[in-house]
Structure formats: structure tokens, C-alpha cells
Amino acid sequence: LAEVSVFRGVWTITAAECVVNIAGLNLAESLQRLVDCSLVNKNGELFSLFATTRAFGVEQWDSAGEVALRHRHVAWCLNLARGETPDAPTDHVAFFAHLDAHLDNLREGLQWSIEHDIETGRKIARSLLRYWDVRSLLTEANRVCLSLLEASGDTLSEEIGRLWNGLGWFAYSNQNYSNAEGYYQKALFVFQALEDTRGIADVQGNLGELAHIQGSDDAIRLLEESRTLQKQIGNIYGEAT
């Protein structure tokens, strides 16, 4: 009970197998006993805990055990966001529905990462940019990304560039063009420092689109620069985030 209390919302037995680490435990039998005792809810393949039961389970953690458990949960969250868990659907629509079902866990993992594991948190957020965009969770996405970027200090990485670029895209989608340009410029700085041609090309393309919608003469130049760089790396289409 204590270890499955790390999950917020629902989880599957496949998820529990990735996170629970108790030697000699028959997980399926143990979960069924908890269900029979009305300590764990089961709805089809999904398990969950009552809030009071989860709170009791969390109280059983010791400091060392909690850190290890949290790291396993966050690692599972990263695989979940990347579509690399054993039960991840291959169909795009089904995969986003899969993320919907586990959104509370992703939020839990991200919140803990902001405070304890920034690098993994950035990777999770990078993997969720398209999901947040499609599901119109832009307020949440902005809060999470900005928190992760603030906590990252002067660190430069591909994920940091992608998060700034994603923030630019979200601002652009909300017609907040001033913020969009500021975020894109931060992304461009990171990718230029890293000599990341793909990243530079993507941001230049986004800046070009932004310039175009604002009627700027820089639009054609930026888009042509982006297209030239994309061709250099063999990427015909480019991407927004």
C-alpha cells in the first residue's frame, strides 16, 4: 500500500510493476488483496486509492525510501510522456487519451521534479509540449515550463531550448506576439550556444511566421534562413515545437 501511494489518480498494474520495488512481492496478488479489503479501487484495468488511504500510505514512507520511490515514479512519468511504457498505445489519438487518464500522475511527477530533479522534469515537459498544445492546457504548460526554466539557472541544454521554443509557440497561439518573440529569442540564444542547427532552424522558422503575421519585412529573410538550414540537415518540413 505504501509504494502504490506514490501514484496520484489512477494507475495500471503495468505502471505499478515499473515503480513498486519490493523483493519477492507478487504484485497482482497483493493488489487483489487490497481491492478485496476495499483499500484499493479497481475499474477495469485502472486502480486508484481513496484520498485518505493514499495519505495513510504516504505517512508510511521513510526519507530514504521516499526519494528512491519518487525517482522511480518520475522515471515512469518520463517514459509515459515519451510513449515508451509497455502499455503505451501506438495510435496518436489513443496515446493522448492514455496521457489524459494519467494526467494527475504527470502533474505529480512534474511538481516533484521541479523541486528535486530538474533535468528529468525538463525532459518530461519537453515530451508533453504537443500534448499540452492539443489539449489547450496552455496556462498549466506555461506555469510548469517557466518554473523548470527558472530552476535551471544558467544551464544550457536541448530541452531548455525546446521549452523556450514551446513557450513561444503557446504565446503565438494566444496572439501574445510580444511574449512569443521574447521566448523565441531565448530559444535561439540557447540553440546558437549549443550549435544546434535543427533547433536554430526551427526557431528561425517560428520567428519568420511571427514576423509574417505582424507584417514585418524580416519575414521572408527569416523563413528562407530556416529553410536553408532545414535542407542542410535533411529536414524538409521542420517543426513548430
Side-chain angles (χ1 to χ4, degrees), residues 125-142:
R126 164 68 182 97
S127 299
L128 290 176
L129 289 174
R130 288 192 183 279
Y131 170 77
W132 280 327
D133 187 28
V134 171
R135 290 296 192 250
S136 298
L137 298 172
L138 302 190
T139 300
E140 176 177 344
N142 274 278

Side-chain angles (χ1 to χ4, degrees), residues 66-81:
E66 176 182 357
V67 171
L69 179 60
R70 289 286 193 180
H71 276 297
R72 292 196 299 273
H73 181 253
V74 166
W76 170 76
C77 286
L78 176 57
N79 288 332
L80 173 67

Side-chain angles (χ1 to χ4, degrees), residues 17-213:
E17 288 171 346
C18 296
V19 175
V20 174
N21 183 27
I22 301 176
L25 177 71
N26 186 313
L27 188 57
E29 290 183 1
S30 296
L31 283 176
Q32 188 56 55
R33 285 197 295 269
L34 291 172
V35 170
D36 293 341
C37 294
S38 299
L39 294 173
V40 170
N41 301 312
K42 185 178 182 184
N43 183 9
E45 296 182 354
L46 298 177
F47 296 88
S48 63
L49 290 172
F50 294 111
T52 52
T53 306
R54 182 174 185 268
F56 174 78
V58 169
E59 289 176 359
Q60 310 311 304
W61 298 344
D62 58 56
S63 298
E66 176 182 357
V67 171
L69 179 60
R70 289 286 193 180
H71 276 297
R72 292 196 299 273
H73 181 253
V74 166
W76 170 76
C77 286
L78 176 57
N79 288 332
L80 173 67
R82 287 175 167 175
E84 296 175 355
T85 55
D87 56 350
T90 55
D91 174 75
H92 182 76
V93 174
F95 174 63
F96 274 14
H98 185 64
L99 294 182
D100 289 339
H102 292 288
L103 185 55
D104 285 341
N105 275 303
L106 290 166
R107 287 168 171 162
E108 180 84 0
L110 280 166
Q111 185 57 47
W112 190 82
S113 295
I114 290 170
E115 300 171 5
H116 302 283
D117 189 354
I118 296 298
E119 183 177 358
T120 304
R122 291 196 303 260
K123 291 177 180 178
I124 295 172
R126 164 68 182 97
S127 299
L128 290 176
L129 289 174
R130 288 192 183 279
Y131 170 77
W132 280 327
D133 187 28
V134 171
R135 290 296 192 250
S136 298
L137 298 172
L138 302 190
T139 300
E140 176 177 344
N142 274 278
R143 177 183 56 78
V144 170
C145 291
L146 288 172
S147 294
L148 286 164
L149 289 165
E150 181 181 356
S152 297
D154 296 329
T155 303
L156 297 178
S157 72
E158 192 269 344
E159 286 84 15
I160 287 176
R162 288 294 166 187
L163 292 184
W164 283 123
N165 195 40
L167 286 169
W169 176 254
F170 298 152
Y172 175 87
S173 299
N174 282 329
Q175 300 182 354
N176 190 335
Y177 300 138
S178 177
N179 278 359
E181 182 170 4
Y183 292 145
Y184 284 149
Q185 291 295 345
K186 288 179 182 292
L188 186 60
F189 172 81
V190 173
F191 288 132
Q192 287 175 336
L194 296 174
E195 299 182 348
D196 184 331
T197 303
R198 171 65 178 270
I200 294 169
D202 290 341
V203 179
Q204 291 281 63
N206 287 340
L207 282 168
E209 293 291 343
L210 180 61
H212 172 72
I213 203 168

